[in-house]
Amino acid sequence: CSTKVEKNIMNQWYFKITDYKDRLINNLDKIDYPKSTINAQRSWLENLHDWCVSRQRKWGCPIPVEGETDTLDTFVDSSFYFIRYCDPYNENELCSKDKYRQVDVYVGGSEHACMHLIYARFINMFLYDIGVVSEEEPFKKVIHQGMILNSGEKMSKSKGNVIDPIDLID
């Protein structure tokens, strides 16, 4: 559109993920992830920078600081929800130690190989360091489900290449 783009200098909130870089890389030799995911994570972690978690939008999870109007990056929520499932009615802590369980098998798309899975590993490591969880890594094993393709491209409503299965019936 013809709206003028203006550059603004603004304060942002960050998680200091760079402090975990070496552990995140070293643990890649110990986890049961697809080789392609391990390679992608290793490559991404070599150009690592701290994680900017601020988002300037009206909706989303609020940053718990008085007067703050930014919201948290949605990857923050998806980085620990699996821990909360272990103890969903606990109103005093994320998860009690006696109910915490490491995820046996995490099934997700290969498109989450880097950001989501690395952030989940980072959050879990931090929670491990402060004694909230008992395992350094969140997932024992990761597998990726397949993609449905149309003419070699990922099928997607946004790409307009979705085929309704009912149309395939003679």
Side-chain angles (χ1 to χ4, degrees):
C1 67
S2 60
T3 304
K4 184 180 176 184
V5 175
E6 296 182 25
K7 186 175 181 177
N8 292 323
I9 296 174
M10 34 191 354
N11 291 325
Q12 299 287 307
W13 292 93
Y14 287 83
F15 285 169
K16 197 158 178 60
I17 192 171
T18 51
D19 285 354
Y20 286 76
K21 175 184 176 178
D22 292 338
R23 283 170 65 193
L24 289 164
I25 291 171
N26 291 338
N27 279 9
L28 290 172
D29 295 329
K30 303 174 191 173
I31 56 180
D32 188 4
Y33 285 21
K35 265 295 186 223
S36 60
T37 297
I38 288 173
N39 292 338
Q41 284 197 13
R42 190 178 310 279
S43 176
W44 196 88
L45 288 164
E46 291 298 333
N47 297 314
L48 186 65
H49 52 83
D50 287 325
W51 176 13
C52 178
V53 296
S54 300
R55 299 296 179 265
Q56 295 73 48
R57 57 182 180 227
K58 300 289 183 209
W59 54 271
C61 187
I63 295 176
V65 174
E66 188 174 341
E68 181 57 64
T69 58
D70 284 0
T71 60
L72 287 169
D73 178 0
T74 55
F75 280 120
V76 175
D77 291 350
S78 65
S79 293
F80 67 88
Y81 72 90
F82 50 88
I83 297 170
R84 192 69 182 132
Y85 283 151
C86 296
D87 198 4
Y89 302 108
N90 189 330
E91 294 184 18
N92 300 312
E93 54 192 340
L94 181 63
C95 181
S96 65
K97 287 186 181 197
D98 64 321
K99 291 191 177 181
Y100 171 77
R101 300 291 180 268
Q102 186 182 35
V103 175
D104 290 322
V105 179
Y106 182 95
V107 180
S110 60
E111 68 272 17
H112 297 296
C114 287
M115 294 172 70
H116 166 62
L117 287 174
I118 290 173
Y119 294 154
R121 293 180 61 220
F122 159 69
I123 293 289
N124 199 85
M125 276 185 187
F126 171 77
L127 294 172
Y128 172 79
D129 288 351
I130 64 171
V132 174
V133 299
S134 57
E135 299 291 337
E136 187 175 38
E137 288 288 338
F139 316 118
K140 291 180 184 177
K141 181 179 182 76
V142 168
I143 58 175
H144 299 307
Q145 79 271 14
M147 294 273 188
I148 299 175
L149 305 178
N150 181 0
S151 302
E153 285 192 324
K154 177 181 172 183
M155 200 178 298
S156 166
K157 289 186 287 188
S158 64
K159 290 185 176 190
N161 67 350
V162 174
I163 297 172
D164 188 335
I166 199 75
D167 293 340
L168 299 175
I169 299 173
D170 292 301

